[in-house]
Amino acid sequence: GPNLVIYQVGLIPSQFYEVLSEKNYGKLKNLVLFAVMLILINSTLKSLDQYISSLLYVSWRKSLTEELHSTYFNGHVYYTLNVLCKDIDNPDQRISQDVERLCKQMSTMASRLLISPFTVTYYTYQCFNSAGWIGFVSIFGYFVVGSIINKILIGPIVSMLVEQEKLEGDFRFKHMQIRVNAESAAFYRAGKVEHMRTDRRLQMLLSTQRSLMNKELWLYIGVNTFDYLGSILSYILIAIPIFAGDYDGLTPGELSALVSKNAFVCIYLINCFTQLIDLSTTVSDVAGYTHRIGELREVMAYIAKKQWSIDDERILKYLELVGLSNLLTRIGGLDTKVDWSWYDVLSPGEMQRLCFARLFYLQPKYAVLDEATSALTEEAEGQLYKACKQLGISLISLGHRSTLKKHHDIMLRLCGGGQWELTKLKEA
């Protein structure tokens, strides 16, 4: 259907050559009406194609995002992914931006891939009729050469696109951190430092973008050269039968119409092949986004499968270690919601023990403890500090208890008036 309409629209210029050379007013009027009708049908079909692509994009984005959400919010995958496991950069960007771009690119690809086989077949037949087998073989050979060159030029672009998306996410995340922590950053007068760090992320992003653009330049030169040489090739193919004397009996008007018709057929077939080559550029983008989303899905599936059976055990283990096993009995298990405030119901000592349980669970490289054991006995303090050391957490403690000394190697004393002293503590 659409091929036939496009073909008829394409033949209109050649028919105008014929009518104008004959100076036939009646034929001209009919041709104009016919042309307007064809153009309306063609524009409607093209608009419908774009509309269906947009519907596909929305439908695919909905399905893929909802599927990712169902794993992301399954149990505590979102927490493990963002806090405990740093293997995946910017999960939020992958779920929002990368999915959006992937679905957009795939929806434009879908209609092209669906229509291309019919278009290529139809115009190959028309080209065979217009320019003979030499015309078809020349155009097909031209397409094969163009595809090989394109493949060579596109190779390095995919991995660089993935890296650029990662840096894009890092840059956006930095700004989000500043937005969320604006108050504390202002309190610490950290504007200059954050300015420098944010600029550094921008520089990394832009330098990767420049490298990507340099590689894409050669790809664009290749694709555009291929486009323009194609139109010259079509005229060369039409010149062969003309110079061979096949059309010697035609009037100049008839010859112009024939050249216009044959040029359109050859140019359109070359255009179909060029679009297929352009598709490979879109495929490289799709491959980049698919890689990032696929990586996220794998890690989330692994966390959902393995992590949380172990995690519940770890929570129970650390609650026991800090002496809060009875708390689970009181509230009725890990997943029971409570309608009271923890600060009102738990004693200061229990709150401090709960903080240590959280610290043991997260196991950071170092922790700053500000009067963290002030409401506990010295014996309980000793047990908790010992557990921190066994888990390999380096501790920086602020406190007034002399018992803290035996758990540390160095003491920094602030003497007031800008004075301070650093003392090495004897090992216990």
Side-chain angles (χ1 to χ4, degrees):
N3 289 335
L4 192 63
V5 175
I6 292 165
Y7 180 62
Q8 292 300 330
V9 171
L11 294 186
I12 285 169
S14 67
Q15 290 167 320
F16 270 110
Y17 280 130
E18 206 169 337
V19 169
L20 291 170
S21 66
E22 290 174 14
K23 295 184 181 175
N24 187 324
Y25 177 72
K27 272 189 182 178
L28 177 68
K29 196 169 70 172
N30 291 339
L31 185 59
V32 168
L33 286 170
F34 179 63
V36 169
M37 184 190 75
L38 278 180
I39 285 164
L40 287 172
I41 294 169
N42 193 26
S43 65
T44 305
L45 288 171
K46 199 170 182 181
S47 304
L48 273 172
D49 176 44
Q50 289 166 336
Y51 177 65
I52 291 163
S53 287
S54 302
L55 290 180
L56 278 175
Y57 152 73
V58 172
S59 166
W60 288 344
R61 187 179 181 189
K62 179 180 184 288
S63 305
L64 184 52
T65 310
E66 283 177 355
E67 191 224 328
L68 289 170
H69 279 176
S70 68
T71 317
Y72 190 61
F73 295 107
N74 171 25
H76 298 83
V77 171
Y78 64 92
Y79 169 72
T80 311
L81 196 62
N82 286 298
V83 179
L84 304 181
C85 142
K86 298 288 184 183
D87 300 348
I88 289 286
D89 65 89
N90 306 300
D92 59 314
Q93 182 199 24
R94 295 183 192 223
I95 293 170
S96 55
Q97 183 184 297
D98 290 0
V99 166
E100 192 270 336
R101 289 185 180 175
L102 172 69
C103 295
K104 182 83 80 183
Q105 299 278 41
M106 282 184 67
S107 69
T108 57
M109 270 174 63
S111 65
R112 284 200 218 167
L113 286 171
L114 203 64
I115 295 165
S116 286
F118 302 105
T119 313
V120 169
T121 308
Y122 184 78
Y123 283 99
T124 297
Y125 168 72
Q126 294 294 347
C127 176
F128 202 78
N129 287 345
S130 303
W133 67 270
I134 294 176
F136 170 68
V137 170
S138 305
I139 291 171
F140 190 74
Y142 189 61
F143 166 66
V144 170
V145 170
S147 299
I148 293 166
I149 293 168
N150 198 66
K151 177 81 178 130
I152 294 163
L153 293 173
I154 218 162
I157 288 173
V158 180
S159 57
M160 198 162 273
L161 179 82
V162 170
E163 179 61 19
Q164 187 214 324
E165 289 303 328
K166 175 188 176 297
L167 293 171
E168 200 80 66
D170 290 346
F171 178 62
R172 197 185 62 192
F173 183 69
K174 185 70 198 163
H175 272 287
M176 192 191 79
Q177 277 184 319
I178 292 164
R179 192 180 74 189
V180 171
N181 302 302
E183 190 176 0
S184 44
F187 180 75
Y188 288 116
R189 292 180 169 81
K192 280 186 180 175
V193 177
E194 291 302 342
H195 182 180
M196 192 175 68
R197 286 177 181 165
T198 312
D199 269 2
R200 195 181 306 139
R201 292 211 180 174
L202 177 67
Q203 297 311 326
M204 286 165 70
L205 167 64
L206 293 180
S207 85
T208 307
Q209 270 187 334
R210 278 192 204 101
S211 306
L212 185 64
M213 285 167 183
N214 291 341
K215 287 190 166 57
E216 282 177 338
L217 170 67
W218 296 106
L219 179 69
Y220 295 147
I221 289 171
V223 169
N224 290 329
T225 306
F226 188 81
D227 276 3
Y228 294 124
L229 283 177
S231 58
I232 295 169
L233 175 68
S234 64
Y235 286 108
I236 292 168
L237 294 174
I238 294 157
I240 295 168
I242 290 173
F243 280 92
D246 294 357
Y247 304 132
D248 281 354
L250 300 178
T251 65
E254 287 169 334
L255 186 63
S256 299
L258 186 75
V259 168
S260 175
K261 177 195 164 192
N262 290 1
F264 163 71
V265 169
C266 293
I267 287 171
Y268 203 85
L269 181 60
I270 289 169
N271 188 39
C272 294
F273 284 136
T274 306
Q275 281 185 356
L276 286 176
I277 289 175
D278 286 347
L279 264 184
S280 58
T281 314
T282 312
V283 168
S284 76
D285 287 355
V286 165
Y289 295 126
T290 305
H291 169 80
R292 282 175 63 75
I293 295 160
E295 199 178 42
L296 175 68
R297 283 175 73 175
E298 277 176 36
V299 172
M300 290 201 304
Y302 172 79
I303 292 169
K305 201 173 177 182
K306 304 269 181 191
Q307 203 76 3
W308 278 94
S309 57
I310 304 164
D311 283 356
D312 282 3
E313 287 169 25
R314 283 176 66 216
I315 292 170
L316 297 173
K317 182 175 110 180
Y318 292 132
L319 284 172
E320 194 177 334
L321 183 61
V322 299
L324 283 180
S325 297
N326 66 326
L327 190 57
L328 279 176
T329 320
R330 275 161 66 189
I331 63 171
L334 284 176
D335 297 316
T336 311
K337 286 188 174 136
V338 293
D339 53 4
W340 35 261
S341 164
W342 294 88
Y343 294 97
D344 296 340
V345 174
L346 298 186
S347 68
E350 284 174 323
M351 286 297 292
Q352 287 187 340
R353 286 171 188 272
L354 196 56
C355 288
F356 270 96
R358 186 164 169 259
L359 182 66
F360 297 158
Y361 181 81
L362 287 170
Q363 288 180 25
K365 287 180 183 173
Y366 66 88
V368 179
L369 309 182
D370 184 1
E371 295 285 7
T373 52
S374 57
L376 297 172
T377 62
E378 288 180 9
E379 186 190 350
E381 175 186 86
Q383 286 170 348
L384 293 170
Y385 267 85
K386 192 177 170 190
C388 285
K389 282 198 172 176
Q390 285 170 345
L391 292 170
I393 304 168
S394 300
L395 299 174
I396 302 163
S397 299
L398 289 80
H400 62 281
R401 276 188 176 181
S402 58
T403 49
L404 288 174
K405 284 185 184 177
K406 63 185 174 197
H407 305 297
H408 297 80
D409 306 319
I410 296 169
M411 179 167 73
L412 170 66
R413 189 190 298 276
L414 302 177
C415 312
Q419 301 296 308
W420 54 272
E421 59 182 46
L422 206 59
T423 321
K424 279 201 173 182
L425 299 168
K426 291 176 185 171
E427 286 190 19

